[in-house]
Amino acid sequence: MIDTLAQALPHFRNTNSGQFFLMAGPCVIEGEDMALRIAEQVRQLTDRLQIPYIFKGSYRKANRSRLDSFTGIGDETALKILQKVGREIGVPTVTDIHESSEAALAAEYVDVLQIPAFLCRQTELLVAAAETGKVVNIKKGQFLSGEAMGFAVDKVQQSGNPHVILTDRGNSFGYTDLVVDFLNIPAMQRFGVPVVMDVTHSLQQPNQSSGVTGGKPDMIQTIASAAIAAGADGLFIETHPTPATAKSDGANMLQLDRLEKLLERLTRIREAVR
């Protein structure tokens, strides 16, 4: 699938024609049935709306506040589920990696390797991801400007891999909030790569005293709408059938049955601005 995705990547850029693309799925792979159910439902919806779709799911969560937080069902088990989703549902898949040693392993199972925001400056990690030949999605650090992400792009491209996506997920605003600067979208598009708005993570409320990240899911429509109006090439939305029971990031995820109405609205916005 990687050859098809890599060839399609330039077309994901906003050229005032065509549709935005979507990365969506659960925060973390919790099990095979749930992953397939989400992927199938979103695939049917995006096919109808002609939205290119990449299934998202973390095979392991390394950045957790508390030692007792859920981190995954096992690396190989989760990666095989991601591979099965890609094969059976017929969509590209993306997962995040946290150390350079993980790049080659994850690349055997998924199409896109994602670099978490806190790790976007880690040279060895970026180079290892680049060397797999997979598409590399780099999340902008909460502590960086859009302009500063050019160095991350350079690390991947100068390592011989032209297939880069940049994703904004907001900037730290005090200790327990994030704020989205939509000027980062055109700033990062100047590097000639597709730019995505991570809607749900930008609505997190980190560093809570409970050790569990909070969120403002009621603002998902607002952030997503503004991102499309600002010209984002794609959106990143974590979704779950029942966010209240999700094992990770449930506080800021979109309930799966609300995705259809949101995407219909966003396609109308995209049509209006192009």
Side-chain angles (χ1 to χ4, degrees):
M1 176 120 18
I2 184 62
D3 290 338
T4 301
L5 181 59
Q7 291 166 6
L9 191 60
H11 302 293
F12 287 169
R13 296 184 57 202
N14 182 12
T15 58
N16 292 323
S17 64
Q19 194 55 267
F20 61 89
F21 67 97
L22 177 69
M23 295 183 181
C27 177
V28 63
I29 298 298
E30 300 177 12
E32 181 177 305
D33 290 344
M34 187 198 73
L36 289 168
R37 171 187 170 190
I38 293 173
E40 176 62 28
Q41 188 166 332
V42 179
R43 169 67 190 269
Q44 291 179 3
L45 174 58
T46 53
D47 278 356
R48 180 173 68 80
L49 296 173
Q50 297 184 318
I51 297 172
Y53 173 46
I54 302 171
F55 175 82
K56 182 269 167 187
S58 297
Y59 75 92
R60 171 160 39 95
K61 302 300 294 185
N63 178 22
R64 303 288 86 186
S65 296
R66 294 175 8 184
L67 186 61
D68 62 352
S69 295
F70 178 79
T71 59
I73 59 175
D75 292 358
E76 186 175 7
T77 299
L79 285 168
K80 285 182 176 179
I81 290 172
L82 282 162
Q83 185 180 59
K84 186 171 184 177
V85 167
R87 288 175 174 173
E88 293 198 2
I89 309 301
V91 295
T93 54
V94 55
T95 197
D96 34 359
I97 58 173
H98 306 86
E99 298 181 20
S100 55
S101 60
E102 299 176 24
L105 172 64
E108 295 180 17
Y109 297 91
V110 300
D111 304 297
V112 183
L113 298 179
Q114 182 167 283
I115 309 300
F118 283 127
L119 302 177
C120 68
R121 288 170 53 93
Q122 298 298 104
T123 301
E124 287 188 4
L125 179 61
L126 288 165
V127 171
E131 289 177 344
T132 67
K134 299 290 184 175
V135 175
V136 181
N137 178 35
I138 313 171
K139 286 198 173 183
K140 183 185 75 62
Q142 300 93 322
F143 44 86
L144 290 176
S145 67
E147 289 83 357
M149 290 301 292
F151 300 107
V153 173
D154 287 345
K155 289 177 182 179
V156 175
Q157 293 184 340
Q158 290 177 19
S159 298
N161 187 337
H163 308 303
V164 182
I165 299 171
L166 289 178
T167 295
D168 191 3
R169 53 137 315 147
N171 282 76
S172 295
F173 186 71
Y175 291 114
T176 59
D177 273 303
L178 297 166
V179 64
V180 177
D181 179 0
F182 290 98
L183 294 177
N184 284 324
I185 293 174
M188 293 192 292
Q189 286 173 329
R190 293 190 185 104
F191 302 125
V193 301
V195 173
V196 173
M197 183 74 238
D198 181 344
V199 178
T200 46
H201 283 107
S202 67
L203 291 169
Q204 284 185 330
Q205 293 177 304
N207 303 318
Q208 300 296 310
S209 59
S210 65
V212 178
T213 298
K216 296 179 284 188
D218 55 309
M219 300 299 292
I220 288 173
Q221 178 175 288
T222 299
I223 297 297
S225 299
I228 294 301
D233 302 296
L235 295 177
F236 180 108
I237 298 175
E238 287 190 339
T239 184
H240 192 281
T242 54
T245 66
K247 296 183 178 181
S248 178
D249 283 1
N252 54 272
M253 281 200 281
L254 179 69
Q255 188 165 309
L256 183 59
D257 63 10
R258 297 179 181 175
L259 182 62
E260 181 173 15
K261 184 177 180 180
L262 174 65
L263 291 180
E264 289 175 342
R265 172 188 174 88
L266 297 175
T267 56
R268 293 195 297 271
I269 294 173
R270 180 62 177 258
E271 180 66 29
V273 299
R274 66 184 183 189

